[in-house]
Amino acid sequence: MLAKLRTFSLLGIEAVPVEVEVDVSPAGLPKTVLVGLPEAAVKESTHRVERAIVNSGFQRPQNRVVINLAPADLPKDAASFDLPIALGILAGSGQMDVGRLMQYAVVGELALDGSTRPAKGALSMAMTAAREDHLAGMLVPRDSAAEAAVVEDVPVLPIANLTQAIAFLTGEIDLEPCPSRLADHFRDYSSYDVDFSDVRGQETAKRALTVAAAGNHNLLMIGPPGSGKTMLAKRMPTILPVLTPEESIETTRIYSAVGRLKAGQPLLAVRPFRSPHHTISNAGLVGGGSIPTPGEISLAHNGVLFLDELPEFNRQTLEVLRQPLEDGTVTIARALNSTTFPANFMLIAALNPCPCGYRGDPRRRCQCTPPQVERYMSKISGPLIDRIDIHIEVPSVAFRDLSDGTPGTSSAEMREQVQKARETQAARFRGSKIRCNADMGHRPIRQHCPLDDECQNLLKSAMAEMGLSARAHDKILRVARTIADLDASEPIRPNHLNEAINYRMLDRQLWT
């Protein structure tokens, strides 16, 4: 007897519809054949499924069982095929009625006792199920139901075990769909544990971070060890605008696809902060694998990617960041297919001014020779530095600032300034694909960043003295536009341009 079910397979972070066909026919010896490009996790599912069927009180068919996962040319690599395969075997062997079998999509991994385990990518699967015709709902493991229920357009039915799934599909019991609770998730998970008021001193650095957050600009911090670079970077998400529901779902589906969601938290309601170690590989940073999976830059989508000790990273690893920084996406190409992952992140990098870390520090003597400093700085290419809009120096904090009991500028105060500037940009770019000043190309820059004669002369002399590239010229204008937005000024004034030029001076001092 032939049984058919509908399920999904992950391809990157996208869910693709898959039809599970199970044919049970008489044979001399019992045998199970699984076809349709199954990877190791899917091939092993036959053993899990057999024991789950027996331990749930049903019989293992003593016949030839052929399981086909269509389309046959799509690689299948997940344990979420366990539940549909088990249901197909039971329906094909006549141990359960077909009933509602084709009306619902089914996903889920099975334990040996027949209970369900969470499925990776439940959110992406629910989004695809919502676009499918003739689907009455979706059966998912109980622990993944809250995540999938974020998609309100498809009823999500939580399943605790194989027996419960059979009882529902044969009409013996009814199940209540899992409620969405989107507003509750945002209320429960949208708070941060850190605040900029914890940072004493460094008000100049806080101003630069406010500018960076207001225009979504990339930022480079240079300073001696212990000056607070990491502390500042970790607090950057607290001043960025609150995640919108669309951004939250975009980011959550990436974490769901790689199994990085925290237990009991079905939705990311704060902006992600990723800080990979400098020994990370190219594939770990941008994504890769025989079946491509997202890397750190995609996990930082709609959030912050922090690269501490930038010169310690492999130079080739850093160079692969150049294209994602420009495009906001990364494409992983393989022989059979190519996969595009979102990678719209804010880059914050930190480094010491020399190998020992104390070059230019008035309290500590630098032990590095000029050739050592040159080799250290040459690990970072000029094209990558040009893609970072703001460069600031973070000096050591004086004792009087550390011992002062007055709290520093808080994240709430900084976020209020950022939010007003973002609202100005939203009104400016309404109707276009541009969201922030940092996204402006050459033509929008000419349209939205006009300069008077005084500003033109100021920028001309700065470019001549500092040897700035054409890309750096555009970066200065973008940053100046953001500073003007923070001041609620329509024209860009000389003081705005001066501040923007100062944010480009350190790279010329250190990389020339």
Side-chain angles (χ1 to χ4, degrees):
M1 181 176 174
L2 177 66
K4 295 183 178 182
L5 296 91
R6 301 163 80 172
T7 186
F8 301 98
S9 177
L10 280 181
L11 189 63
I13 62 171
E14 300 290 337
V16 181
V18 171
E19 188 171 70
V20 179
E21 299 174 326
V22 181
D23 181 74
V24 182
S25 57
L29 292 173
K31 185 178 182 181
T32 300
V33 180
L34 181 60
V35 295
L37 280 186
E39 299 292 335
V42 184
K43 288 178 181 177
E44 294 172 352
S45 68
T46 56
H47 304 295
R48 288 192 299 271
V49 166
E50 286 176 0
R51 300 322 304 165
I53 288 174
V54 173
N55 293 329
S56 298
F58 298 92
Q59 293 182 355
R60 173 192 172 189
Q62 299 300 310
N63 297 315
R64 180 183 176 88
V65 179
V66 178
I67 304 163
N68 179 41
L69 307 177
D73 59 347
L74 176 72
K76 321 306 190 294
D77 184 23
S80 59
F81 292 101
D82 289 7
L83 185 55
I85 288 175
L87 292 170
I89 290 174
L90 291 173
S93 60
Q95 298 183 63
M96 64 172 282
D97 294 331
V98 175
R100 306 168 174 173
L101 211 55
M102 281 298 288
Q103 299 175 27
Y104 291 85
V106 182
V107 296
E109 179 183 348
L110 288 176
L112 297 184
D113 63 356
S115 59
T116 58
R117 287 180 171 153
K120 289 182 181 180
L123 178 56
S124 293
M125 293 176 184
M127 293 172 69
T128 302
R131 297 191 294 267
E132 289 289 295
D133 295 331
H134 313 302
L135 267 186
M138 182 178 176
L139 273 63
V140 301
R142 182 173 54 189
D143 292 341
S144 299
E147 175 193 332
V150 169
V151 181
E152 299 176 342
D153 297 332
V154 58
V156 174
L157 306 171
I159 297 297
N161 51 56
L162 177 60
T163 305
Q164 187 183 31
I166 294 169
F168 172 75
L169 292 172
T170 55
E172 295 178 18
I173 63 171
D174 285 321
L175 295 175
E176 286 295 322
C178 185
S180 177
R181 297 198 179 109
L182 194 60
D184 294 342
H185 296 327
F186 269 92
R187 185 183 64 248
D188 296 339
Y189 303 116
S190 61
S191 61
Y192 292 93
D193 298 328
V194 293
D195 194 279
F196 267 107
S197 61
D198 305 331
V199 182
R200 301 299 170 88
Q202 304 296 12
E203 292 300 319
T204 303
K206 287 185 182 180
R207 165 65 179 179
L209 264 71
T210 303
V211 173
N216 201 36
H217 301 288
N218 301 318
L219 177 78
L220 177 71
M221 295 184 285
I222 305 173
S227 58
K229 301 185 293 295
T230 302
M231 195 174 185
L232 288 164
K234 286 183 175 179
R235 284 154 179 76
M236 178 59 114
T238 66
I239 65 172
L240 292 172
V242 176
L243 269 181
T244 64
E246 293 78 14
E247 289 175 328
S248 176
I249 290 174
E250 280 179 8
T251 308
T252 302
R253 66 193 297 229
I254 299 171
Y255 278 72
S256 172
V258 295
R260 296 286 186 89
L261 281 180
K262 294 180 181 177
Q265 182 177 342
L267 192 71
L268 286 176
V270 296
R271 296 191 178 270
F273 177 85
R274 304 297 301 179
S275 180
H277 193 258
H278 60 77
T279 57
I280 192 171
S281 66
N282 294 5
L285 188 63
V286 301
S290 56
I291 297 179
T293 55
E296 288 289 336
I297 64 173
S298 295
L299 293 172
H301 181 59
N302 289 323
V304 175
L305 177 70
F306 178 50
L307 302 182
D308 200 5
E309 305 296 344
L310 189 65
E312 300 298 333
F313 283 79
N314 183 290
R315 178 163 180 158
Q316 184 184 2
T317 302
L318 292 178
E319 292 306 299
V320 300
L321 285 175
R322 286 159 58 173
Q323 178 261 333
L325 281 172
E326 293 287 334
D327 299 341
T329 60
V330 58
T331 300
I332 311 296
R334 292 293 178 264
L336 295 177
N337 56 45
S338 63
T339 305
T340 299
F341 297 122
N344 186 19
F345 58 92
M346 176 186 292
L347 175 65
I348 299 182
L351 69 154
N352 298 327
C354 65
C356 78
Y358 296 104
R359 180 186 178 201
D361 192 327
R363 296 178 296 180
R364 296 283 295 271
R365 184 165 174 261
C366 176
Q367 304 294 328
C368 304
T369 63
Q372 286 177 318
V373 176
E374 288 178 12
R375 281 196 301 271
Y376 181 73
M377 289 300 177
S378 67
K379 294 179 181 179
I380 309 169
S381 70
L384 179 63
I385 292 299
D386 266 350
R387 284 170 168 80
I388 300 178
D389 306 7
I390 298 175
H391 309 154
I392 61 169
E393 187 172 11
V394 184
S396 300
V397 184
F399 175 77
R400 65 176 180 275
D401 292 325
L402 292 173
S403 58
D404 188 1
T406 307
T409 307
S410 69
S411 293
E413 295 170 307
M414 297 168 70
R415 186 168 56 245
E416 185 179 356
Q417 299 178 55
V418 170
Q419 190 63 45
K420 289 180 179 177
R422 288 288 183 106
E423 290 170 0
T424 301
Q425 293 167 52
R428 176 183 300 131
F429 301 126
R430 186 173 289 116
S432 71
K433 294 181 179 180
I434 301 173
R435 294 191 298 177
C436 303
N437 289 335
D439 301 331
M440 285 193 294
H442 186 64
R443 186 177 297 175
I445 287 174
R446 295 182 64 180
Q447 179 183 352
H448 299 297
C449 305
L451 300 178
D452 59 23
D453 291 341
E454 184 180 359
C455 289
Q456 287 276 14
N457 293 331
L458 181 63
L459 183 57
K460 181 180 178 182
S461 60
M463 288 196 66
E465 292 174 13
M466 297 164 60
L468 296 174
S469 67
R471 182 182 283 116
H473 168 274
D474 287 355
K475 296 286 187 187
I476 288 174
L477 290 178
R478 291 189 191 109
V479 174
R481 176 71 271 165
T482 300
I483 296 169
D485 290 344
L486 284 168
D487 281 354
S489 170
E490 180 57 35
I492 296 175
R493 305 190 187 281
N495 61 310
H496 303 146
L497 194 60
N498 253 323
E499 185 178 352
I501 292 170
N502 286 333
Y503 290 144
R504 297 297 308 185
M505 293 188 71
L506 276 176
D507 64 324
R508 298 304 152 190
Q509 296 172 10
L510 294 170
W511 277 275
T512 56

